[in-house]
Amino acid sequence: MKGIPLAWLQLMHEKRRLLAAISGITFAVVLMLVQLGFEEALFTSVTLFYSHLNCELIMLSPLFQSMNAIATFSHRRVLEARAFDGVESAHTLYLGPAKWKNPVTYQARYIFVIGMEPVAGIFDIPELNQQVGKLEQPGAALFDVRSRPEFGPIQELLRERDQVVTEVNGNWTRVAGGFPLGTSFVADATLVTSDENFKRLSPSREFGSVDLGIIKLTPGVDAIQVRDKMRATLPQRRARGDQRGNAEYRARLLGKEYAHWFRFSDGPGDGHPRRDDRGLPDSL
């Protein structure tokens, strides 16, 4: 005996109601997918800087909160990290805002400045590594060509001429090239310069202290073991005027940055695991 398609008949009895129900469910599904897309885009944005660091460990201050709330620590700690077995290189980074003047409109805006030793390999951006030698020249800098347009048509100007001269914190600065990075919650535009030129742009800063230590390990070395050994060996008490730095696994730091910006949605009791507790892979 053939069965009666009762469920189908109930659905088709009120076609308008069925259409309204399907539309409502479709809208809810699309809205959830859009929300997940926004979440992933925001996570990519807040971790953009870290994702381009060519390292396994990052040394930072215990008071570090996020990229917009960085605390400094002693430069000495980065030098001490170079002596550990398995460490291939350890370099310092200086980070901070500076007032950039648009070379076309002369409007002033704050730009995110990275001061680094003029050596290749600190970042995994080929265009930056190929031009890093230009930073050895006094007053030279490299500009992020994916910055917001309010900072000027730097990429077009570089195509027309070899360099672009403008003011940064009231100092004449020569943009000698460009590289692709992108904007984030912290930076609408990014300028990379040498550590020595960073000191010229920020003369009031104490340069016995640094913002980040970038630690590259020898291939095959266990990053967690090296991190734990550094934490156990390096001095844990602050000497007078000597702030300690902690080595942190890069993927763990990505999660900490995410948790700082999105703690309102990842707090306890909301049913979602915190992003920094998910064991993020180092490939991010």
Side-chain angles (χ1 to χ4, degrees), residues 77-279:
R77 295 292 170 257
V78 181
L79 300 179
E80 292 172 341
R82 296 176 179 175
F84 282 82
D85 292 336
V87 174
E88 182 178 304
S89 63
H91 299 286
T92 58
L93 285 184
Y94 299 92
L95 310 173
K99 187 171 291 187
W100 160 277
K101 182 173 287 188
N102 186 317
V104 177
T105 65
Y106 304 109
Q107 289 185 330
R109 291 179 176 272
Y110 279 99
I111 191 171
F112 185 66
V113 182
I114 302 173
M116 57 177 279
E117 300 169 58
V119 296
I122 297 179
F123 290 88
D124 65 357
I125 305 174
E127 294 86 348
L128 178 58
N129 292 325
Q130 292 167 5
Q131 302 179 82
V132 73
K134 297 179 180 179
L135 300 181
E136 297 179 357
Q137 304 171 15
L142 300 175
F143 184 84
D144 175 17
V145 296
R146 293 180 180 172
S147 300
R148 292 182 60 85
E150 292 86 350
F151 291 82
I154 306 302
Q155 189 172 17
E156 289 76 9
L157 293 175
L158 286 173
R159 291 195 187 105
E160 298 173 1
R161 61 194 84 161
D162 293 335
Q163 61 184 13
V164 177
V165 178
T166 187
E167 287 185 33
V168 179
N169 273 359
N171 294 277
W172 289 110
T173 298
R174 183 170 50 83
V175 179
F179 65 96
L181 179 60
T183 60
S184 67
F185 275 11
V186 177
D188 288 334
T190 301
L191 192 72
V192 174
T193 188
S194 69
D195 48 356
E196 292 298 325
N197 193 49
F198 189 95
K199 298 174 184 179
R200 183 178 69 91
L201 297 177
S202 305
S204 61
R205 174 161 174 164
E206 180 184 351
F207 284 94
S209 298
V210 300
D211 294 296
L212 294 178
I214 309 305
I215 303 173
K216 178 69 176 174
L217 302 181
T218 304
V221 173
D222 191 316
I224 301 299
Q225 290 183 2
V226 177
R227 180 200 66 179
D228 294 343
K229 188 175 181 180
M230 285 184 179
R231 289 182 173 181
T233 304
L234 294 177
Q236 295 300 303
R237 291 186 178 180
R238 295 185 186 179
R240 181 176 299 177
D242 186 21
Q243 298 167 300
R244 64 187 176 94
N246 284 339
E248 184 58 89
Y249 189 45
R250 187 175 72 117
R252 181 74 175 176
L253 189 57
L254 291 174
K256 288 178 65 175
E257 187 76 19
Y258 177 91
H260 172 82
W261 290 98
F262 303 111
R263 64 184 63 177
F264 58 86
S265 62
D266 282 338
D270 63 358
H272 298 287
R274 296 184 68 87
R275 191 82 180 223
D276 56 343
D277 290 332
R278 297 177 185 176

Side-chain angles (χ1 to χ4, degrees), residues 3-16:
I4 300 175
L6 182 61
W8 177 252
L9 292 175
Q10 288 178 331
L11 288 174
M12 297 303 295
H13 181 66
E14 292 285 349
K15 294 183 179 179
R16 292 184 178 179

Side-chain angles (χ1 to χ4, degrees), residues 38-51:
F38 281 147
E39 181 187 24
E40 189 61 31
L42 292 174
F43 174 68
T44 301
S45 174
V46 300
T47 59
L48 179 66
F49 172 79
Y50 302 115
S51 67

